């Protein structure tokens, strides 16, 4: 194969992809069978199979049991506003951000005490095994799964305070900034690192995604005078949503 030349299965996948993207094969159209691809493109069964696998991995087609492989309905990505921390306003950051886009957001959560893993301990700047409050969230937009989040807060900071449980008490659901302010801690910085990876099976099941789909993975940490007071992993389906950051320029 000459330098720069694509393998045969990628050339076949590229041609089929173009037909899907330009509408020549609209949603719910049955993908040509493996035998049809072999004949039309003059390739082997192995090449035809690998080309179909590429399209499936890209989320362009889906298999239907006993029926075949069909072009998927392609969702139009919607924006999720990300605005970092903001002054206390008596409302959760999620509700504020959803309000900006005119959406109706709700969430479910569960909190429990845990020991910080080495990775979480490093992010929080605490010894591995220290006690933390772990809270798992499933966020919804108009009833549809939107994103997952798992947060960890050092109990050395929040333990035996009214804000120990993020979603309970007088400030339950008000967000990290307002809750920390209630115990005399001023959050002055937040760091978000955004990456992408294949979604885990349990993540995609909760979010209504297709196995193999890519998710955006956000590592977020809130700081007060250089000390981490909360860190979280936020998971968003990459095919349905885009993260929009509002950055002020002073």
């Amino acid at each position: 194969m000459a330098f720069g030349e694509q393998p045969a299965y990628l050339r076949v996948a590229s041609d089929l992809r173009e037909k899907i993207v330009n509408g020549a094969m609209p949603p719910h159209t049955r993908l040509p069978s493996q035998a049809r691809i072999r004949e039309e493109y003059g390739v082997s069964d192995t090449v035809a199979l690998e080309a179909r696998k590429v399209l499936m991995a890209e989320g362009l087609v889906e298999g239907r049991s006993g029926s075949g492989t069909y072009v998927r309905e392609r969702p139009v990505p919607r924006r999720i506003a990300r605005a970092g921390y903001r002054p206390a306003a008596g409302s959760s950051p999620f509700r504020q951000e959803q309000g900006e886009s005119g959406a109706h957001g709700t969430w479910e959560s569960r909190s429990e005490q845990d020991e910080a893993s080495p990775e979480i301990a490093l992010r929080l700047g605490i010894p591995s095994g220290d006690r933390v409050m772990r809270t798992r969230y499933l966020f919804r937009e108009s009833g549809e799964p939107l994103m997952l989040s798992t947060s960890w807060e050092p109990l050395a900071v929040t333990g035996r305070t009214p804000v120990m449980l993020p979603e309970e008490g007088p400030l339950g659901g008000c967000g990290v900034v307002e809750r920390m302010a209630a115990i005399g801690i001023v959050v002055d910085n937040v760091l978000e690192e955004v990456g992408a990876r294949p979604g885990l099976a349990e993540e995609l099941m909760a979010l209504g995604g297709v196995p193999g789909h890519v998710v955006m993975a956000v590592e977020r940490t809130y700081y007060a005078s250089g000390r981490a007071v909360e860190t979280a992993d936020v998971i968003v389906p990459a095919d349905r949503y885009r993260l929009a950051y509002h950055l002020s320029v002073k």
Side-chain angles (χ1 to χ4, degrees):
M1 183 173 64
F3 178 76
E5 184 181 350
Q6 284 187 323
Y9 76 94
L10 288 181
R11 293 199 302 273
V12 174
S14 179
D15 187 69
L16 291 171
R17 184 191 304 113
E18 184 177 352
K19 292 178 180 178
I20 293 171
V21 171
N22 68 21
M25 294 175 60
H28 311 297
T29 299
R30 186 172 182 175
L31 194 71
S33 66
Q34 188 169 314
R36 176 76 177 275
I37 292 174
R38 182 190 65 215
E39 294 171 4
E40 183 175 342
Y41 292 93
V43 296
S44 67
D45 280 331
T46 300
V47 168
L49 177 61
E50 290 302 313
R52 289 162 61 92
K53 285 182 178 179
V54 168
L55 297 177
M56 190 165 290
E58 292 176 351
L60 294 173
V61 301
E62 61 184 353
R64 299 180 187 174
S65 180
S67 179
T69 303
Y70 293 80
V71 176
R72 290 185 67 237
E73 189 82 45
R74 299 177 65 201
V76 178
R78 288 173 284 175
R79 296 175 63 196
I80 299 177
R82 304 291 295 171
Y85 66 93
R86 54 182 74 190
S91 176
S92 76
F94 177 67
R95 280 193 175 139
Q96 291 178 34
E97 292 166 351
Q98 289 290 287
E100 290 176 1
S101 62
H104 176 62
T106 59
W107 69 90
E108 306 158 16
S109 66
R110 184 179 75 250
S111 296
E112 56 190 352
Q113 294 191 32
D114 197 4
E115 294 183 356
S117 68
E119 177 190 356
I120 297 304
L122 181 63
R123 286 161 57 174
L124 289 172
I126 61 177
S128 179
D130 266 19
R131 303 296 293 175
V132 294
M133 184 63 69
R134 182 185 66 197
T135 304
R136 302 180 190 273
Y137 295 88
L138 170 59
F139 294 93
R140 299 180 184 275
E141 179 185 80
S142 301
E144 294 297 320
L146 166 67
M147 64 183 175
L148 301 172
S149 177
T150 303
S151 72
W152 296 266
E153 296 179 353
L155 286 174
V157 174
T158 62
R160 299 184 180 182
T161 74
V163 300
M164 184 175 75
L165 292 169
E167 298 297 321
E168 296 182 21
L171 292 176
C174 286
V176 175
V177 177
E178 189 171 353
R179 290 175 47 250
M180 293 298 166
I183 57 174
I185 297 174
V186 179
V187 172
D188 55 19
N189 192 21
V190 59
L191 172 65
E192 289 199 350
E193 297 184 13
V194 183
R197 60 169 173 77
L200 303 179
E202 56 268 28
E203 293 170 343
L204 295 172
M205 181 176 295
L207 292 169
V210 174
H213 269 195
V214 171
V215 297
M216 289 176 282
V218 182
E219 288 187 11
R220 182 198 67 207
T221 305
Y222 283 102
Y223 295 91
S225 300
R227 180 185 187 183
V229 296
E230 188 256 19
T231 193
D233 288 335
V234 181
I235 305 300
V236 181
D239 64 327
R240 284 181 276 156
Y241 297 97
R242 295 288 182 269
L243 299 179
Y245 286 82
H246 297 261
L247 306 175
S248 61
V249 178
K250 299 181 179 180

